[in-house]
């Protein structure tokens, strides 16, 4: 007989303990569609309505039968999962499928190259790395052009050209003694010294306030949440977060980050010192519908302003569709509703059909640097299993003339209508309802002044949404969670197959939660 050993928790032990304290520490044993199952003490399977939808990875439902059958068939056929450095026509097929969608949704005929990855954060880092490679190559091209100009200036002075010294001291400052501006060799030395300093400027990224782009070393610096980002800020390039609701904020930030290098021109026998723009803003990254900030659809006019300002400095836009993409908004790309054609798109989460880990970065052809292919790769990226499943997932979304997108829009409208009624009836508890399609946020009023100590404590700890989650799971068998950085907002991201019954169940559970909150009954929320 084996003695029963109480196993010490080693897999993220703190998280497991915390989840249990809120009644969230259940073990799911099976999942299907919008349902996850756990076993109760008597061994009976308890179905749970999953409104989290795998944090956005299950747009076609958990264990979608089509995708599961396809995955099984791939394994049965012995698909060559690992065949790096060989031809991958299936990856090309997926890239073409998504290019077709880009052409349809953005009305463009430009092609996008596809680079494959394993997670959303990696797809973001692919975009970031590519944008930086592009920037570094542009800086190298600029440096080369300037070197040629300096040589030309020197030759011109040798053949009698005059040096226009006015303004040179201002531009070169301490690098140039006042009497040296008229001496071409000293001037060239000063220009080179100033440029080598200026060229060492670190790249900077821009993003809207509230952005979430992942938790890897690079991507976490693009994630606004201080707790996630700040311990690691020494590890990667920095991002400036811009309030998009302030019309001039972006222009001001761009002006503050403006850097130049020095160049010499020769015209009509006169050598003149000039400034050239040094690209230091590597990219602007945004989510068309911000997820972790509490489900916030970006404002169309604000996005247009972003596009206009960035166009003046030729700065690329990375459109992170990791959470909003794959049809969730009612179109494949949520950015298509905003008329925002990106230079980069990232996809992950539902790309693997809820079954495989798959991620993809698309890069606008006119910006694409082929050198990138040699500097980014990963063992499992572009493997046949996940990439073929991604292709099948896209096919399922596109089937019947995009029925899945219509479902996402229609189911989303139903959910929004139901939640909107809650907002109307219980405006004292429900603050706002936001979102589009199947990416919806239900925002509750702050409870940090609650008369219940339990509610007050959780609210002050920023864990209110988790308290609600525990209650809804225990009492209503509904799985729901807050967004990562706005924990008063519950996120609702089910699959397109959400039924009217499931919406009614959500309505019933949420109404009951609201009643309990109205009574300020913390005891029930934590222990019922
Ligand atoms: N970008 C966005 C917009 C995301 O929402 C996420 C993840 C990522 C990138 C990173 O993707 O987890 O596959 O590395 N959002 C998670 C969430 C954390 O809670 O929805 P990942």
């Amino acid at each position: 007989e084996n003695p029963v050993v109480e196993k010490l928790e080693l897999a993220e032990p703190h998280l497991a303990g915390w989840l249990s304290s809120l009644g969230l520490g259940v073990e799911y044993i099976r999942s299907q569609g919008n349902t996850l199952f756990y076993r109760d003490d008597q061994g009976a399977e308890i179905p749970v309505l999953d409104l989290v939808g795998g944090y956005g990875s299950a747009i076609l439902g958990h264990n979608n039968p089509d995708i599961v059958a396809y995955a099984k068939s791939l394994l049965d056929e012995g698909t060559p999962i690992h065949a790096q450095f060989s031809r991958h026509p299936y990856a090309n097929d997926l890239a073409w499928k998504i290019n077709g969608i880009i052409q349809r949704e953005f009305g463009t005929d430009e092609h996008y190259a596809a680079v494959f990855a394993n997670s959303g954060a990696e797809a973001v880092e692919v975009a970031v790395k590519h944008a930086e490679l592009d920037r570094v190559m542009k800086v190298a091209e600029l440096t080369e052009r300037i070197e040629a100009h300096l040589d030309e200036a020197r030759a011109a002075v040798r053949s009698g050209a005059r040096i226009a010294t006015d303004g040179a001291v201002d531009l070169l400052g301490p690098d140039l003694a006042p009497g040296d501006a008229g001496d071409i060799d000293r001037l060239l030395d000063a220009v080179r010294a100033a440029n080598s300093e200026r060229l060492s400027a670190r790249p900077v990224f821009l993003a809207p306030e509230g952005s979430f782009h992942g938790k890897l070393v690079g991507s976490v610096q693009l994630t606004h949440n201080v707790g996630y980002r700040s311990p690691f800020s020494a590890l990667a390039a920095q991002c400036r977060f811009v309030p998009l609701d302030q019309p001039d904020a972006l222009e001001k930030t761009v002006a503050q980050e403006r850097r130049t290098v020095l160049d010499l021109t020769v015209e009509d026998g006169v050598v003149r010192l000039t400034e050239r723009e040094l690209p230091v803003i590597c990219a602007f990254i945004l989510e068309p519908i911000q997820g972790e900030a509490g489900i916030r659809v970006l404002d169309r006019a604000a996005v247009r302003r972003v596009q206009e300002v960035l166009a003046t400095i030729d700065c690329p836009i990375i459109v992170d569709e990791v959470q909003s993409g794959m049809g969730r908004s009612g179109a494949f790309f949520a950015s298509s509703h905003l008329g925002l054609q990106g230079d980069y798109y990232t996809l992950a989460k539902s790309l693997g059909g809820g079954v495989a880990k798959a991620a993809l970065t698309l890069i606008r052809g006119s910006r694409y640097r082929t050198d990138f292919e040699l500097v980014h790769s990963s063992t499992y990226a572009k493997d046949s299993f996940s990439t073929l499943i991604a292709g099948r997932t896209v096919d399922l979304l596109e089937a019947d003339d995009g029925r899945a997108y219509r479902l996402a829009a229609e189911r989303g409208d139903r959910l929004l209508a139901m939640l909107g009624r809650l907002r109307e009836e219980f405006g004292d508890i429900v603050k706002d309802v936001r979102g589009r399609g199947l990416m919806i946020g239900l925002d509750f009023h702050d409870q940090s002044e609650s008369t219940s100590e339990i509610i007050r404590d959780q609210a002050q700890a920023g864990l209110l949404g988790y308290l609600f989650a525990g209650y809804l799971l225990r009492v209503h068998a509904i799985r729901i969670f807050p967004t990562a950085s706005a924990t008063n907002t519950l996120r609702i991201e089910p699959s397109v197959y959400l039924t009217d019954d499931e919406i009614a169940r959500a309505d019933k559970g949420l109404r009951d939660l609201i009643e309990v909150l109205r009574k300020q009954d913390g005891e029930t929320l934590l222990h019922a």
Side-chain angles (χ1 to χ4, degrees), residues 204-206 240-259 280-281 284 305-306 308-310 312-313:
V204 63
F205 289 84
L206 303 179
R240 292 195 59 182
F241 297 94
V242 182
L244 289 193
D245 55 349
Q246 295 173 24
D248 302 333
L250 177 60
E251 256 178 308
K252 276 191 196 144
T253 308
V254 166
Q256 284 163 3
E257 293 299 331
R258 179 173 182 249
R259 299 285 181 280
V280 284
I281 300 177
F284 189 103
R305 275 199 305 276
V306 167
E308 283 165 5
V309 174
L310 296 179
T312 64
I313 55 167

mmCIF file of all heavy atoms in Angstrom, residues 204-206 240-259 280-281 284 305-306 308-310 312-313:
data_model
loop_
_atom_site.group_PDB
_atom_site.id
_atom_site.type_symbol
_atom_site.label_atom_id
_atom_site.label_comp_id
_atom_site.label_asym_id
_atom_site.label_seq_id
_atom_site.Cartn_x
_atom_site.Cartn_y
_atom_site.Cartn_z
ATOM 1 N N VAL A 204 13.625 54.569 -28.103
ATOM 2 C CA VAL A 204 12.505 54.683 -27.178
ATOM 3 C C VAL A 204 11.236 54.223 -27.895
ATOM 4 O O VAL A 204 11.122 54.362 -29.120
ATOM 5 C CB VAL A 204 12.402 56.128 -26.629
ATOM 6 C CG1 VAL A 204 12.120 57.119 -27.727
ATOM 7 C CG2 VAL A 204 11.353 56.227 -25.538
ATOM 8 N N PHE A 205 10.336 53.630 -27.138
ATOM 9 C CA PHE A 205 9.051 53.204 -27.681
ATOM 10 C C PHE A 205 7.956 54.107 -27.134
ATOM 11 O O PHE A 205 8.113 54.697 -26.068
ATOM 12 C CB PHE A 205 8.755 51.747 -27.307
ATOM 13 C CG PHE A 205 9.638 50.795 -28.050
ATOM 14 C CD1 PHE A 205 10.911 50.500 -27.583
ATOM 15 C CD2 PHE A 205 9.219 50.236 -29.235
ATOM 16 C CE1 PHE A 205 11.749 49.655 -28.293
ATOM 17 C CE2 PHE A 205 10.052 49.387 -29.959
ATOM 18 C CZ PHE A 205 11.323 49.092 -29.479
ATOM 19 N N LEU A 206 6.882 54.212 -27.877
ATOM 20 C CA LEU A 206 5.728 54.963 -27.395
ATOM 21 C C LEU A 206 4.517 54.027 -27.384
ATOM 22 O O LEU A 206 4.405 53.138 -28.240
ATOM 23 C CB LEU A 206 5.436 56.153 -28.316
ATOM 24 C CG LEU A 206 6.569 57.158 -28.549
ATOM 25 C CD1 LEU A 206 6.098 58.244 -29.517
ATOM 26 C CD2 LEU A 206 7.035 57.778 -27.237
ATOM 27 N N ARG A 240 7.606 55.328 -23.435
ATOM 28 C CA ARG A 240 6.880 56.458 -22.850
ATOM 29 C C ARG A 240 5.400 56.256 -23.107
ATOM 30 O O ARG A 240 4.983 55.985 -24.234
ATOM 31 C CB ARG A 240 7.371 57.772 -23.448
ATOM 32 C CG ARG A 240 8.802 58.056 -23.007
ATOM 33 C CD ARG A 240 9.192 59.473 -23.260
ATOM 34 N NE ARG A 240 8.316 60.426 -22.566
ATOM 35 C CZ ARG A 240 8.444 61.748 -22.679
ATOM 36 N NH1 ARG A 240 9.394 62.259 -23.449
ATOM 37 N NH2 ARG A 240 7.631 62.562 -22.034
ATOM 38 N N PHE A 241 4.610 56.370 -22.054
ATOM 39 C CA PHE A 241 3.177 56.109 -22.139
ATOM 40 C C PHE A 241 2.429 57.423 -22.314
ATOM 41 O O PHE A 241 2.615 58.362 -21.546
ATOM 42 C CB PHE A 241 2.710 55.333 -20.914
ATOM 43 C CG PHE A 241 3.368 53.979 -20.848
ATOM 44 C CD1 PHE A 241 4.523 53.790 -20.104
ATOM 45 C CD2 PHE A 241 2.865 52.916 -21.581
ATOM 46 C CE1 PHE A 241 5.160 52.557 -20.077
ATOM 47 C CE2 PHE A 241 3.493 51.677 -21.558
ATOM 48 C CZ PHE A 241 4.637 51.496 -20.800
ATOM 49 N N VAL A 242 1.624 57.467 -23.365
ATOM 50 C CA VAL A 242 1.006 58.721 -23.790
ATOM 51 C C VAL A 242 -0.498 58.677 -23.492
ATOM 52 O O VAL A 242 -1.164 57.701 -23.836
ATOM 53 C CB VAL A 242 1.215 58.896 -25.316
ATOM 54 C CG1 VAL A 242 0.638 60.213 -25.786
ATOM 55 C CG2 VAL A 242 2.686 58.778 -25.673
ATOM 56 N N PRO A 243 -1.041 59.732 -22.863
ATOM 57 C CA PRO A 243 -2.498 59.782 -22.659
ATOM 58 C C PRO A 243 -3.187 60.186 -23.960
ATOM 59 O O PRO A 243 -3.079 61.336 -24.375
ATOM 60 C CB PRO A 243 -2.668 60.857 -21.574
ATOM 61 C CG PRO A 243 -1.460 61.724 -21.686
ATOM 62 C CD PRO A 243 -0.356 60.925 -22.299
ATOM 63 N N LEU A 244 -3.855 59.233 -24.605
ATOM 64 C CA LEU A 244 -4.428 59.526 -25.931
ATOM 65 C C LEU A 244 -5.602 60.493 -25.864
ATOM 66 O O LEU A 244 -5.980 61.074 -26.877
ATOM 67 C CB LEU A 244 -4.874 58.233 -26.621
ATOM 68 C CG LEU A 244 -3.772 57.297 -27.117
ATOM 69 C CD1 LEU A 244 -4.358 56.255 -28.045
ATOM 70 C CD2 LEU A 244 -2.648 58.054 -27.809
ATOM 71 N N ASP A 245 -6.184 60.670 -24.648
ATOM 72 C CA ASP A 245 -7.321 61.600 -24.556
ATOM 73 C C ASP A 245 -6.857 63.055 -24.495
ATOM 74 O O ASP A 245 -7.667 63.965 -24.544
ATOM 75 C CB ASP A 245 -8.215 61.252 -23.356
ATOM 76 C CG ASP A 245 -7.430 61.207 -22.055
ATOM 77 O OD1 ASP A 245 -6.179 61.242 -22.112
ATOM 78 O OD2 ASP A 245 -8.059 61.129 -20.980
ATOM 79 N N GLN A 246 -5.554 63.274 -24.399
ATOM 80 C CA GLN A 246 -5.041 64.654 -24.465
ATOM 81 C C GLN A 246 -4.469 64.882 -25.867
ATOM 82 O O GLN A 246 -3.412 64.347 -26.200
ATOM 83 C CB GLN A 246 -3.953 64.871 -23.408
ATOM 84 C CG GLN A 246 -4.482 64.772 -21.987
ATOM 85 C CD GLN A 246 -3.380 64.813 -20.948
ATOM 86 O OE1 GLN A 246 -2.300 65.342 -21.197
ATOM 87 N NE2 GLN A 246 -3.652 64.237 -19.791
ATOM 88 N N PRO A 247 -5.174 65.681 -26.658
ATOM 89 C CA PRO A 247 -4.854 65.786 -28.084
ATOM 90 C C PRO A 247 -3.380 66.105 -28.379
ATOM 91 O O PRO A 247 -2.827 65.605 -29.348
ATOM 92 C CB PRO A 247 -5.768 66.906 -28.574
ATOM 93 C CG PRO A 247 -6.879 66.948 -27.583
ATOM 94 C CD PRO A 247 -6.340 66.478 -26.280
ATOM 95 N N ASP A 248 -2.741 66.950 -27.549
ATOM 96 C CA ASP A 248 -1.380 67.365 -27.895
ATOM 97 C C ASP A 248 -0.288 66.522 -27.257
ATOM 98 O O ASP A 248 0.895 66.751 -27.495
ATOM 99 C CB ASP A 248 -1.157 68.830 -27.474
ATOM 100 C CG ASP A 248 -2.157 69.748 -28.137
ATOM 101 O OD1 ASP A 248 -2.629 69.369 -29.235
ATOM 102 O OD2 ASP A 248 -2.467 70.804 -27.558
ATOM 103 N N ALA A 249 -0.686 65.555 -26.426
ATOM 104 C CA ALA A 249 0.318 64.839 -25.634
ATOM 105 C C ALA A 249 1.334 64.119 -26.519
ATOM 106 O O ALA A 249 2.539 64.167 -26.261
ATOM 107 C CB ALA A 249 -0.366 63.852 -24.698
ATOM 108 N N LEU A 250 0.854 63.476 -27.576
ATOM 109 C CA LEU A 250 1.779 62.712 -28.411
ATOM 110 C C LEU A 250 2.772 63.634 -29.107
ATOM 111 O O LEU A 250 3.982 63.366 -29.130
ATOM 112 C CB LEU A 250 1.008 61.871 -29.442
ATOM 113 C CG LEU A 250 1.884 61.079 -30.413
ATOM 114 C CD1 LEU A 250 2.789 60.101 -29.679
ATOM 115 C CD2 LEU A 250 1.041 60.345 -31.445
ATOM 116 N N GLU A 251 2.250 64.747 -29.662
ATOM 117 C CA GLU A 251 3.151 65.687 -30.336
ATOM 118 C C GLU A 251 4.232 66.202 -29.390
ATOM 119 O O GLU A 251 5.398 66.322 -29.766
ATOM 120 C CB GLU A 251 2.349 66.867 -30.881
ATOM 121 C CG GLU A 251 2.147 66.777 -32.374
ATOM 122 C CD GLU A 251 1.311 67.916 -32.902
ATOM 123 O OE1 GLU A 251 0.218 68.125 -32.341
ATOM 124 O OE2 GLU A 251 1.756 68.567 -33.864
ATOM 125 N N LYS A 252 3.823 66.485 -28.149
ATOM 126 C CA LYS A 252 4.790 66.983 -27.164
ATOM 127 C C LYS A 252 5.849 65.931 -26.883
ATOM 128 O O LYS A 252 7.046 66.233 -26.824
ATOM 129 C CB LYS A 252 4.076 67.340 -25.854
ATOM 130 C CG LYS A 252 3.477 68.725 -25.866
ATOM 131 C CD LYS A 252 3.020 69.117 -24.456
ATOM 132 C CE LYS A 252 2.075 70.299 -24.527
ATOM 133 N NZ LYS A 252 1.003 70.223 -23.535
ATOM 134 N N THR A 253 5.413 64.686 -26.701
ATOM 135 C CA THR A 253 6.361 63.612 -26.407
ATOM 136 C C THR A 253 7.325 63.432 -27.576
ATOM 137 O O THR A 253 8.529 63.285 -27.381
ATOM 138 C CB THR A 253 5.602 62.294 -26.141
ATOM 139 O OG1 THR A 253 4.621 62.543 -25.149
ATOM 140 C CG2 THR A 253 6.537 61.199 -25.671
ATOM 141 N N VAL A 254 6.771 63.453 -28.782
ATOM 142 C CA VAL A 254 7.628 63.305 -29.966
ATOM 143 C C VAL A 254 8.660 64.436 -30.018
ATOM 144 O O VAL A 254 9.844 64.203 -30.284
ATOM 145 C CB VAL A 254 6.762 63.263 -31.253
ATOM 146 C CG1 VAL A 254 7.609 63.450 -32.501
ATOM 147 C CG2 VAL A 254 5.999 61.941 -31.321
ATOM 148 N N ALA A 255 8.209 65.648 -29.691
ATOM 149 C CA ALA A 255 9.139 66.798 -29.710
ATOM 150 C C ALA A 255 10.227 66.616 -28.655
ATOM 151 O O ALA A 255 11.406 66.893 -28.902
ATOM 152 C CB ALA A 255 8.370 68.092 -29.487
ATOM 153 N N GLN A 256 9.831 66.120 -27.467
ATOM 154 C CA GLN A 256 10.822 65.916 -26.399
ATOM 155 C C GLN A 256 11.846 64.848 -26.768
ATOM 156 O O GLN A 256 12.997 64.912 -26.359
ATOM 157 C CB GLN A 256 10.130 65.493 -25.095
ATOM 158 C CG GLN A 256 9.451 66.642 -24.375
ATOM 159 C CD GLN A 256 8.443 66.143 -23.345
ATOM 160 O OE1 GLN A 256 8.292 64.944 -23.136
ATOM 161 N NE2 GLN A 256 7.759 67.078 -22.708
ATOM 162 N N GLU A 257 11.419 63.862 -27.529
ATOM 163 C CA GLU A 257 12.331 62.763 -27.875
ATOM 164 C C GLU A 257 13.132 63.047 -29.143
ATOM 165 O O GLU A 257 13.957 62.245 -29.543
ATOM 166 C CB GLU A 257 11.539 61.457 -28.051
ATOM 167 C CG GLU A 257 10.914 60.935 -26.774
ATOM 168 C CD GLU A 257 11.945 60.620 -25.689
ATOM 169 O OE1 GLU A 257 13.095 60.275 -26.025
ATOM 170 O OE2 GLU A 257 11.599 60.746 -24.494
ATOM 171 N N ARG A 258 12.844 64.199 -29.772
ATOM 172 C CA ARG A 258 13.512 64.485 -31.042
ATOM 173 C C ARG A 258 15.020 64.578 -30.838
ATOM 174 O O ARG A 258 15.502 65.219 -29.919
ATOM 175 C CB ARG A 258 12.977 65.801 -31.619
ATOM 176 C CG ARG A 258 13.629 66.185 -32.917
ATOM 177 C CD ARG A 258 12.959 67.404 -33.543
ATOM 178 N NE ARG A 258 13.599 67.705 -34.811
ATOM 179 C CZ ARG A 258 14.351 68.790 -35.040
ATOM 180 N NH1 ARG A 258 14.525 69.693 -34.086
ATOM 181 N NH2 ARG A 258 14.915 68.964 -36.224
ATOM 182 N N ARG A 259 15.776 63.881 -31.684
ATOM 183 C CA ARG A 259 17.235 63.941 -31.653
ATOM 184 C C ARG A 259 17.704 64.197 -33.090
ATOM 185 O O ARG A 259 17.053 63.771 -34.040
ATOM 186 C CB ARG A 259 17.850 62.629 -31.175
ATOM 187 C CG ARG A 259 17.475 62.201 -29.765
ATOM 188 C CD ARG A 259 18.204 63.012 -28.688
ATOM 189 N NE ARG A 259 17.838 62.562 -27.355
ATOM 190 C CZ ARG A 259 16.723 62.887 -26.706
ATOM 191 N NH1 ARG A 259 15.840 63.686 -27.285
ATOM 192 N NH2 ARG A 259 16.475 62.424 -25.504
ATOM 193 N N VAL A 280 15.039 57.948 -33.332
ATOM 194 C CA VAL A 280 15.219 57.302 -32.019
ATOM 195 C C VAL A 280 13.914 56.662 -31.537
ATOM 196 O O VAL A 280 13.943 55.744 -30.736
ATOM 197 C CB VAL A 280 15.701 58.283 -30.915
ATOM 198 C CG1 VAL A 280 17.156 58.596 -31.059
ATOM 199 C CG2 VAL A 280 14.849 59.515 -30.854
ATOM 200 N N ILE A 281 12.783 57.175 -32.021
ATOM 201 C CA ILE A 281 11.517 56.546 -31.631
ATOM 202 C C ILE A 281 11.354 55.323 -32.521
ATOM 203 O O ILE A 281 11.175 55.416 -33.734
ATOM 204 C CB ILE A 281 10.329 57.516 -31.778
ATOM 205 C CG1 ILE A 281 10.568 58.737 -30.881
ATOM 206 C CG2 ILE A 281 9.035 56.810 -31.397
ATOM 207 C CD1 ILE A 281 9.502 59.801 -30.976
ATOM 208 N N PHE A 284 5.603 52.900 -32.336
ATOM 209 C CA PHE A 284 4.451 53.160 -31.469
ATOM 210 C C PHE A 284 3.669 51.857 -31.433
ATOM 211 O O PHE A 284 3.358 51.290 -32.471
ATOM 212 C CB PHE A 284 3.601 54.287 -32.066
ATOM 213 C CG PHE A 284 2.512 54.771 -31.150
ATOM 214 C CD1 PHE A 284 2.661 55.969 -30.462
ATOM 215 C CD2 PHE A 284 1.342 54.040 -30.969
ATOM 216 C CE1 PHE A 284 1.660 56.432 -29.604
ATOM 217 C CE2 PHE A 284 0.352 54.495 -30.114
ATOM 218 C CZ PHE A 284 0.505 55.696 -29.435
ATOM 219 N N ARG A 305 -5.209 60.859 -35.088
ATOM 220 C CA ARG A 305 -4.167 61.819 -34.701
ATOM 221 C C ARG A 305 -2.821 61.122 -34.535
ATOM 222 O O ARG A 305 -1.789 61.619 -34.966
ATOM 223 C CB ARG A 305 -4.531 62.518 -33.374
ATOM 224 C CG ARG A 305 -5.432 63.725 -33.535
ATOM 225 C CD ARG A 305 -5.361 64.619 -32.292
ATOM 226 N NE ARG A 305 -5.672 63.900 -31.063
ATOM 227 C CZ ARG A 305 -6.898 63.679 -30.601
ATOM 228 N NH1 ARG A 305 -7.943 64.142 -31.271
ATOM 229 N NH2 ARG A 305 -7.097 63.023 -29.486
ATOM 230 N N VAL A 306 -2.849 59.929 -33.905
ATOM 231 C CA VAL A 306 -1.608 59.163 -33.738
ATOM 232 C C VAL A 306 -0.992 58.895 -35.108
ATOM 233 O O VAL A 306 0.209 59.121 -35.323
ATOM 234 C CB VAL A 306 -1.886 57.824 -33.002
ATOM 235 C CG1 VAL A 306 -0.687 56.892 -33.102
ATOM 236 C CG2 VAL A 306 -2.256 58.083 -31.542
ATOM 237 N N GLU A 308 -1.364 60.517 -37.864
ATOM 238 C CA GLU A 308 -0.861 61.745 -38.510
ATOM 239 C C GLU A 308 0.473 62.182 -37.911
ATOM 240 O O GLU A 308 1.413 62.507 -38.641
ATOM 241 C CB GLU A 308 -1.894 62.880 -38.364
ATOM 242 C CG GLU A 308 -3.047 62.709 -39.330
ATOM 243 C CD GLU A 308 -4.259 63.583 -38.983
ATOM 244 O OE1 GLU A 308 -4.163 64.394 -38.028
ATOM 245 O OE2 GLU A 308 -5.292 63.422 -39.658
ATOM 246 N N VAL A 309 0.561 62.152 -36.584
ATOM 247 C CA VAL A 309 1.806 62.593 -35.933
ATOM 248 C C VAL A 309 2.959 61.647 -36.305
ATOM 249 O O VAL A 309 4.059 62.087 -36.632
ATOM 250 C CB VAL A 309 1.628 62.673 -34.402
ATOM 251 C CG1 VAL A 309 2.956 62.975 -33.722
ATOM 252 C CG2 VAL A 309 0.587 63.725 -34.033
ATOM 253 N N LEU A 310 2.678 60.347 -36.287
ATOM 254 C CA LEU A 310 3.751 59.391 -36.560
ATOM 255 C C LEU A 310 4.210 59.460 -38.014
ATOM 256 O O LEU A 310 5.389 59.239 -38.308
ATOM 257 C CB LEU A 310 3.311 57.977 -36.204
ATOM 258 C CG LEU A 310 3.010 57.769 -34.718
ATOM 259 C CD1 LEU A 310 2.569 56.340 -34.465
ATOM 260 C CD2 LEU A 310 4.221 58.099 -33.848
ATOM 261 N N THR A 312 4.639 62.025 -39.707
ATOM 262 C CA THR A 312 5.598 63.124 -39.887
ATOM 263 C C THR A 312 7.018 62.689 -39.538
ATOM 264 O O THR A 312 7.972 63.327 -39.960
ATOM 265 C CB THR A 312 5.230 64.361 -39.022
ATOM 266 O OG1 THR A 312 5.318 63.989 -37.632
ATOM 267 C CG2 THR A 312 3.834 64.863 -39.317
ATOM 268 N N ILE A 313 7.167 61.635 -38.729
ATOM 269 C CA ILE A 313 8.531 61.168 -38.402
ATOM 270 C C ILE A 313 8.786 59.751 -38.922
ATOM 271 O O ILE A 313 9.737 59.096 -38.511
ATOM 272 C CB ILE A 313 8.795 61.232 -36.866
ATOM 273 C CG1 ILE A 313 7.728 60.455 -36.091
ATOM 274 C CG2 ILE A 313 8.872 62.679 -36.391
ATOM 275 C CD1 ILE A 313 8.112 60.217 -34.628
#
